Every structure is written in structure tokens, then in C-alpha cells.
Amino acid sequence: MDYLLQVKIGALIGLLLLTLLFGFIPAKVRWFRDTNGTETHRTVLSLISCFAGGVFLAACLLDIIPDYLSDITAELNSRKVETSFPLPEFIMAAGFFTVLILERIVLNCREMGVAQEERAPLMPDNRNGHGHGISPDLESSGHHVHVDFQAHSPFRSFMLFLSLSLHSVFEGLAIGLQNTDSKVLEICIAILVHKSIIVFSLSVKLVQSAVRPLWVAAYIGVFAMMSPIGIAIGISVLEAQLAAGALIQAVLEGLAAGTFVYITFLEILPHELNSPGKQLLKVLFILLGFSIMAALTFLG
């Protein structure tokens, strides 16, 4: 077993164990069952989420997209494919829209399956001062954009779980497709920070939705396995060494890059920067996460 494969398997196990750890903390500690939490609690989660956004932004712009464009261009040149159409960028856009469409389908099913009085948007706008929206305090919390703490429905919790699981597979895929150990570790760090926040918030939502403890454990366990499954798929593609393996790898890298663009620019950063309170501190933590990853990239 070569060193790169060992690093990927280590990342797979690390993601699995840490996701389980952060997922079971809210389920076991009563303090986290408080819907509103404390101001310090919300601020800390918000700043961690901003740091994760900076990490994802750097991983996306400085590593994943440049590497993907380099790989797909080299592969197209080797196959003598010449076209004026921006095919590499189109593949990346396909990854972006794949996650967007799948998530919208899940959320549409969620809206159709709940009672009329429960049909509140994930991030409702409270500016008009009425409706079923969440309170300004909750809107300024650091929880992930998907987590709607006003919706204590087991069905909504399941749809939330399904939506987040789709992300995790593509995130793991980005790790499994890398061909250097430094890039595996860099992307793994980004996903670890992000997924820890996600599974933490998901677990809080499940607990508050009165889901049975056995089902909470099942949800967290399955969710924890999603990124490792994505890593395993990526490893399988590389290890299979198919005739079209390099092309398949490049295309999957593009889809994964589109996923990172979606998560970074449509979820983490907009949610945190559009919520009131401590704006400069949030920007500082975004820059901190970006700078650390940029330094790691520069140092190789």
C-alpha cells in the first residue's frame, strides 16, 4: 500500500470518527438542547463557520479549481480534442447545478410533505415584521444555512439529513480524487472544519425535533459515512486504472469543484455575512481561514 493511499484511508477514518464525535455531543449534552442557546454559544459557532468559509474559499480558488483545469486541459490535449466551447468550465458548472437541483428537489419534497402552518423558508426574511420567520437572534446564529430551528418536525429533519448527505458524498469525492498527500490533507482539513459544524447543527435539529434517540444515532451514523463513501469512490476510480481513468478522474474533479463553489458562495459565506452582528470580526475569521490555507499552499 503506497503512502498516498494510506493518507486517504487515514482521512476517511478521521472524517468518520470526528463526524460521529461532533454529531453525538448535542445528543448527549443537555445544554445544546436549548433552542436559542446563549449569545456566546451563537457567536462562537458563527465565527467557526466564517473560518470554515475562508478555508473552503482558499481550497476552492487556490487548489481544486486550478488543479482541475490543469488536469482536464492536459487530458483533452492528449486526446486531441479541440473546441472553442469552454468544456472544462461547463463540467464544473454541471457539478454546481447538480448539487443545486438535487437540493432543491429535496427541499420541494419537504415543503409538500409538511402541514400548511409549518411551511416556512429555510432562511425567512423578517424585515416585514410578521409571518412565521425565525427571530433575529436565531437568524444571527452561527448555524449552517440549512438548519431551520423553528421547524421541529421529524419529517423536516429527515429531509434536512438527506440534503446534507448529498453534499458530503461530493466533498469526500474531492479527497479521493487527489494525487498528492499534501492536497489530500489540505482538503481534508477544510472538510473537517465544515462538516463538524454541519453535523453539530444537524444533531441539534434532530434532538429538538423529538426524534427518537435510536433514530438520532442512525441519522448521525449514516451521515458520518457519506464523506468516507465519497472518498472510497474517488480511490476506486484512481486504483482501477481504466483506459479512460484519467478522463473520468478529471470529470469527477470538475463536478467536485462545482460542489465546492456551491458550498462556499451560496451557503457558508452568504449566510454568515448577511446575518447581523460582528461583521468585521466575521470578515477577519474568513481572512484567517483563507490565509492559513494560502500559506499551506504556498509552502507546498
Side-chain angles (χ1 to χ4, degrees):
M1 183 185 298
D2 61 18
Y3 180 68
L4 177 60
L5 184 57
Q6 292 178 15
V7 172
K8 289 182 180 180
I9 293 176
L12 186 153
I13 296 173
L15 271 173
L16 177 63
L17 295 179
L18 285 175
T19 303
L20 289 173
L21 173 64
F22 281 94
F24 283 117
I25 287 176
K28 296 297 183 181
V29 180
R30 182 177 296 274
W31 182 72
F32 293 109
R33 300 187 183 188
D34 180 16
T35 302
N36 295 325
T38 64
E39 182 64 29
T40 302
H41 175 224
R42 295 196 298 270
T43 300
V44 169
L45 284 178
S46 178
L47 295 179
I48 292 175
S49 186
C50 288
F51 179 83
V55 169
F56 258 78
L57 184 62
C60 181
L61 296 180
L62 304 182
D63 241 346
I64 296 179
I65 291 179
D67 288 347
Y68 156 66
L69 293 176
S70 175
D71 291 346
I72 191 67
T73 300
E75 187 61 23
L76 292 177
N77 289 338
S78 68
R79 294 174 182 272
K80 298 181 180 179
V81 177
E82 296 182 3
T83 175
S84 59
F85 184 76
L87 185 59
E89 289 78 8
F90 178 81
I91 294 173
M92 191 164 61
F96 176 93
F97 283 111
T98 297
V99 180
L100 176 63
I101 292 170
L102 288 174
E103 185 174 86
R104 293 303 108 178
I105 291 174
V106 170
L107 295 180
N108 185 65
C109 293
R110 166 181 174 267
E111 290 179 356
M112 293 173 61
V114 297
Q116 181 66 37
E117 64 271 12
E118 288 184 323
R119 290 178 180 173
L122 289 179
M123 295 299 295
D125 187 355
N126 275 352
R127 286 175 295 181
N128 56 8
H130 65 275
H132 293 287
I134 59 178
S135 67
D137 287 341
L138 284 179
E139 191 170 331
S140 64
S141 71
H143 295 295
H144 191 265
V145 64
H146 289 297
V147 181
D148 178 8
F149 285 90
Q150 286 297 95
H152 300 316
S153 161
F155 177 78
R156 282 188 167 193
S157 297
F158 173 75
M159 302 311 288
L160 172 67
F161 154 78
L162 186 60
S163 175
L164 295 177
S165 295
L166 295 173
H167 287 313
S168 297
V169 174
F170 283 99
E171 289 173 354
L173 189 63
I175 294 178
L177 291 171
Q178 298 306 310
N179 49 23
T180 63
D181 56 298
S182 60
K183 290 173 184 173
V184 169
L185 292 174
E186 182 177 342
I187 298 174
C188 185
I189 291 172
I191 293 177
L192 273 175
V193 175
H194 178 242
K195 196 171 184 183
S196 296
I197 299 168
I198 298 297
V199 72
F200 182 89
S201 299
L202 174 63
S203 181
V204 171
K205 177 66 174 65
L206 292 172
V207 169
Q208 293 170 355
S209 299
V211 177
R212 294 180 179 179
L214 185 61
W215 281 106
V216 172
Y219 281 162
I220 298 302
V222 172
F223 180 70
M225 293 170 56
M226 292 297 104
S227 288
I229 287 174
I231 295 175
I233 293 173
I235 292 175
S236 300
V237 170
L238 292 182
E239 294 296 318
Q241 296 182 343
L242 304 173
L247 181 60
I248 294 174
Q249 175 189 347
V251 171
L252 290 177
E253 283 179 353
L255 296 176
T259 300
F260 267 64
V261 171
Y262 179 90
I263 294 170
T264 303
F265 291 102
L266 262 70
E267 291 191 1
I268 301 178
L269 295 181
H271 173 50
E272 295 304 333
L273 294 178
N274 290 335
S275 60
K278 297 181 172 59
Q279 293 296 319
L280 291 179
L281 193 58
K282 290 178 180 180
V283 172
L284 180 62
F285 269 76
I286 292 173
L287 287 173
L288 179 62
F290 184 92
S291 299
I292 290 175
M293 298 304 289
L296 292 174
T297 302
F298 180 77
L299 297 174

